[in-house]
Amino acid sequence: MTTHTDAATAETAPAETAPAEAGLQPWHDHRLTRSERAAALVAAMTLEEKAGQLVGLWVGADASGGDVAPHQSDMSRDAPSFADVIVDGLGQLTRPFGTRPVQPDLGAQSLARAQRQITAANRFGIPAQVHEECLAGLAAWGATAYPVPLSWGASFDPELVREMSERIGRSMRSVGVHQGLAPVLDVVRDYRWGRVEESIGEDPYLVGTIGASYVKGLEDTGIVATLKHFAGYSGSRAGRNHAPVSAGPREMAEIFLPPFETALRHGGARSVMNSYAEVDGVPAAGDRRLLTDLLRDTLGFEGVVVADYFAIAFLRTLQRVAETDGDAAARALWAGIDVELPSVAVYGAPLIDAVRSGGLDEALVDRALQRVLEQKIELGLVEADYDPTPAHEAPFDDADARDIALRLAREAVVLVDNDGTLPLAADVRVAVVGPLADDPMAMLGCYSFPAHVGVHHPESGLGIDIPTVLAELGARRDVVRHAAGCDVTAPGQGGFAAAQDAARDADVVVVALGDRAGLFGRGTSGEGCDAADLRLPGEQQALLEALLDTGTPVVLVLLTGRPYALGAVAARCAAIVQTFFPGQQGAQALAEVLTGEVNPSGHLPVGIPRDPGGQPSTYLAPPLGRANGASNIDPTPLYPFGHGLSYEALTWHPTVTEEEDWESDGITAVAVVLANETARRVDDVVQVYLHDPFAQVTRPEQRLVAYRRVSLEAGETVEVLFRLHGDLTSFIGIDGDRIVEPGAVELRVARSSADVHAAVRRRIVGAERRVGADRALVADVDVRSVEMDGAEGGPA
């Protein structure tokens, strides 16, 4: 057995503290610092009590199948009882609302009773920290189901995402939850990966800025946000969940790490969850360079690192870098994981035995414990008068929450293509077909409670009202026929004839196709639901082609968790509308866009590929990663990152100047004037891309460095001014350092990565400059109203 020690852990030894008031334990003494109070507890605890604070407990986790975590059935069979675990204290309670359907008020009462049992059982009276999933809303029965993160990315609206997460945080606090396991900051690298729906997009700047806003909203309510999955998880080979990752240091530093840096600095996240990935043969759960040297020493993180579910045990069972559970515990603690989730396993008896046998330095236990206790003190969980009764009550699903969900769903609907068929005329006769046309589950991602847990409890119902596309469109237009046509996944074309008949009887056919969210092979999208290629699942493409053959104009509506290849059918469709699991109000948002009540304004956070097997790629490719004469394979997307159409467009007046110098440690400005010369409100997204024509290492053709969503009423004109620091041009140079390199660059003001309105030339001047974790990460953007010069047609 390898002995894991750490000289640096001497810093975590209990500090001398001021004497406490008579009868007051030092950990309850508010005259002391949080660190001093925690250190006093560390010094007073037995090894068993210390270990108790480093584990979670998942009461009621199903060991009979229907897993909601990888290998849950295997790992839950020998789980200890609640009464046995809490004797020495308990670090975390796992998902009391997200394990089975429970009424919110009854669940809150049950949780309060459990907390009273926990505090009574341990001699320090410390309750558990309670965590829940909250990626698309609190994962609880009856809670609002918001759009999934890929829809957040499509909105390009950090402010609205923050409003959503604040509402989620208030719901969590109202029932006694302290920590949320979100957001996912994995940057999409392969569309076949099942967890694309949980990701925000394929660009690290977009992921980081939207993710930081989600974190800020959650943290502002007092809920601990958890960044996941640190780091590289989405780079798995062939898009297979948990598969090895072959990313080099440059790809890690430029693609996978920046969103975490942004969310830590601009969001203030207090927890990080490790990735399941092994990068270059080193599992993240056992990687000290990642979890300690980088995360803490370089990025300055001071919070708590929690294990993704069963990840520490996987060091032995799946990745085989530990021979025993004790070795796994020692490796993970040494690497920097403070808390084992979801339930006690290797941080229980195996950890204790490893310390007593000399295989693990107890100072490493104390280091993790200090962090855990400091966070519990910050959350008010180490108080002599602690009362687990929730202080207030916030509804899980009310009109305000549904309004936020609806506004976000509207902003995330992407009009991909349109020959003028949309918006649907008031007198048009519509057929609504497809397997998702009348299915409420078509709106939900795999971490929404009805899809995540509720499918195993059909007797409880959905818990929330989820209208369908058929219902919402039928309330607005004359729907003359409906037919499913086929199933999402099951083989068989027996329903094609009825679908074709429905199409022939209508002026326009709206066909709703896409994914069914699920877990570990029980869906076409979601955790463990990876795709072999990017064809629409099952018989859906064949159904679409059959409908196209009728000659009736076809409006393709996609409700998916990933983009699918449309090269074979796009030119034949009258219109294409893309949504990514838009949440419980998604059908209303879709119907409003289809009928023109809402002007579409979403932009693609991922490209839509042309070919299903065309070597999945993203827009962040260097020259030889793009179409070129060296290969017969063309990876150019059918519709690019950032693309999105509208029924009415703004008029753009970019400010283009001669090439200007840009100090390498200074700021340059780029402006565009937008005028709404239409008769209705128009929303759009101004995007700024950096093009570096020559550098010491190969660079992407372009990458996003700024954006701003704008909303203009009829007749309104604004100037959008971007201020970009030289740090935003930095990259990992030939020697492995992050640098700002002098030379010519181009700032492209655009509506998408392929729709450039102006190319602004700058020359970075000054010496080559090394930059680090304190570099500027986000551009500053100002929007102000301006007057137009009627004679010139430009800004006055």
Side-chain angles (χ1 to χ4, degrees), residues 87 146 218 256 293 296 458 503 677 730:
V87 169
Y146 295 92
L218 211 62
F256 295 112
D293 298 350
R296 294 191 183 277
E677 299 171 357
S730 68

Side-chain angles (χ1 to χ4, degrees), residues 512-529:
L513 307 178
D515 281 315
R516 176 179 292 122
L519 295 164
F520 306 107
R522 299 191 298 273
T524 62
S525 174
E527 185 174 0
C529 296

